[in-house]
Amino acid sequence: QDNRISIWSAGDLGNAGLNGEYHGEPHLLCDIQHNGDVMDMQFLDQERIVVASSTGTVTIFRHHQNNQTLSANHRWEKAHYHVDQDTSCGGAACTGVVCNNPEIVTVGEDGRINLFRADQKDAVRTLDNADSSTLHAVTFLRTTEILTVNSIGQLKIWDLRQQRNEPSQIFSLAGDRVPLHCVDRHPNQQHIVATGGQDGMLSIWDIRQGTMPVSLLNAHEAEMWEVHFHPSDPDHLFTCSEDGSLWHWDTSANVSDKPSFLHQGGRSTAYLSHSTINQSVVSAWLSNDPTKDRMEITNLIPNQTLSVNSLDVLGPCLVYGTDAEAIYVNRQLFA
């Protein structure tokens, strides 16, 4: 019932021990009340955070670093709504937000896409009936193009320069219309996209060709809630699920030299092969050379039972949150 946005300091980087261990407990710097469930959030810049609410409202909070407080900087009331914006109960959950300062794109259960600018009171652009089903997540493909995933297994590209409210491309999972919950774009090769959804499968897409995924990889036993390429080392990908697992997918070249089963420190490793179409640009994710076509998969939290709802990754640091009402920080990803 009572939700809050909190800023934490996760221990000082300056006091790492000899073997890279960090000392100092994470501590709460400040927090502020939030109306509705927090569906998604992202930093806009060093001090502003954009937050999506289940009420349909999108808020920018400012973190004042001089006195460690949070304040609401700007609010778009009911950016997402089912009937009309004025009804008291008309709000529809805003399910996803993505920022490319000063631009902010939001998607929601109402199938709407909004383009906001941080310094403008009204939406720059609204695609009212962008989708007839729920939009679950959004990411930028380029500065003028976005990707959305929806509840009937479709991946759509939208060109924000076009005035029409139609996607420029539609991709879909064959057969069953499995809801897709999350999407991420490869940081260097913008044509490579990863999605995950209701059935726990990881789908890799090459948006330059075809309308189907290049590969479908068996992953989790329940919904996949989040997928992220490592921003500076995109041979590594991370996925988390309702089944309580968080997987690290490693396609870096040296994997093929390793024996095909490793059991160390409770980590289980599996090699998957997947068939792909011939590629002009060889990325580990699109590779079709069977000798290289192996990847190492590590479950970073074996024996976990509660859902892992969200994750983010930067440098050697992985942070994730679970239904245990806890946030975990793993600082030794590549140890």
Side-chain angles (χ1 to χ4, degrees):
Q1 297 301 309
D2 175 31
N3 298 309
R4 308 187 80 74
I5 302 287
S6 309
I7 300 247
W8 294 78
S9 160
D12 185 10
L13 293 178
N15 54 11
L18 292 173
N19 51 358
E21 287 173 17
Y22 291 82
H23 306 293
E25 287 291 300
H27 63 277
L28 183 64
L29 296 177
C30 50
D31 64 358
I32 192 169
Q33 199 158 6
H34 180 268
N35 193 9
D37 294 344
V38 176
M39 304 296 286
D40 197 9
M41 58 182 172
Q42 202 175 60
F43 277 97
L44 177 69
D45 53 28
Q46 288 293 317
E47 51 184 34
R48 288 180 296 176
I49 305 123
V50 183
V51 182
S53 170
S54 59
T55 63
T57 295
V58 177
T59 311
I60 302 180
F61 290 97
R62 186 179 287 273
H63 175 213
H64 305 273
Q65 290 165 1
N66 51 358
N67 60 357
Q68 291 303 343
T69 55
L70 273 167
S71 64
N73 181 238
H74 188 79
R75 193 172 272 130
W76 290 284
E77 295 285 350
K78 290 206 188 129
H80 295 273
Y81 54 92
H82 282 306
V83 192
D84 60 75
Q85 260 173 314
D86 307 325
T87 357
S88 59
C89 58
C94 176
T95 50
V97 57
V98 65
C99 305
N100 186 16
N101 194 5
E103 297 191 320
I104 299 161
V105 173
T106 70
V107 296
E109 273 180 11
D110 52 359
R112 242 179 215 90
I113 300 174
N114 290 307
L115 173 63
F116 296 111
R117 274 208 188 90
D119 45 11
Q120 292 185 18
K121 190 162 129 329
D122 297 317
V124 177
R125 174 101 191 268
T126 296
L127 282 68
D128 266 333
N129 300 309
D131 210 301
S132 56
S133 59
T134 296
L135 290 168
H136 282 142
V138 60
T139 190
F140 274 99
L141 190 56
R142 310 188 167 72
T143 47
T144 55
E145 281 185 313
I146 56 166
L147 282 168
T148 59
V149 292
N150 70 11
S151 59
I152 56 170
Q154 293 173 320
L155 174 68
K156 296 183 182 179
I157 299 180
W158 306 83
D159 186 339
L160 297 173
R161 292 165 301 189
Q162 301 289 335
Q163 281 316 301
R164 56 200 182 93
N165 288 3
E166 303 288 321
S168 53
Q169 275 177 283
I170 301 179
F171 303 82
S172 56
L173 295 167
D176 304 337
R177 297 184 162 241
V178 177
L180 291 172
H181 290 302
C182 52
V183 58
D184 198 26
R185 188 207 81 201
H186 191 290
N188 313 336
Q189 297 185 301
Q190 289 165 333
H191 54 277
I192 301 175
V193 173
T195 64
Q198 193 81 36
D199 58 1
M201 299 274 280
L202 173 64
S203 311
I204 305 291
W205 312 70
D206 181 347
I207 58 171
R208 299 169 307 182
Q209 54 181 27
T211 55
M212 313 251 296
V214 175
S215 50
L216 285 169
L217 304 171
N218 276 315
H220 304 278
E221 285 162 24
E223 293 92 340
M224 185 190 295
W225 291 130
E226 195 123 42
V227 57
H228 276 300
F229 285 100
H230 193 289
S232 54
D233 196 351
D235 284 347
H236 299 267
L237 178 105
F238 299 86
T239 60
C240 65
S241 165
E242 180 71 28
D243 67 10
S245 60
L246 193 162
W247 285 20
H248 173 187
W249 306 70
D250 178 2
T251 64
S252 53
N254 61 355
V255 170
S256 50
D257 308 335
K258 297 178 184 171
S260 57
F261 46 90
L262 294 173
H263 291 287
Q264 51 189 47
R267 295 182 170 194
S268 61
T269 301
Y271 286 101
L272 296 189
S273 68
H274 48 281
S275 57
T276 54
I277 316 154
N278 277 339
Q279 301 304 331
S280 49
V281 174
V282 176
S283 155
W285 292 106
L286 304 178
S287 152
N288 64 335
D289 175 353
T291 57
K292 293 201 189 98
D293 203 12
R294 305 206 290 187
M295 61 177 86
E296 186 179 347
I297 300 156
T298 308
N299 182 6
L300 297 180
I301 33 179
N303 317 323
Q304 230 281 49
T305 51
L306 294 170
S307 174
V308 185
N309 301 320
S310 189
L311 73 92
D312 206 356
V313 60
L314 188 66
C317 236
L318 171 79
V319 59
Y320 58 95
T322 77
D323 269 357
E325 295 188 19
I327 299 163
Y328 299 85
V329 181
N330 174 345
R331 298 179 178 276
Q332 296 177 303
L333 265 188
F334 303 114

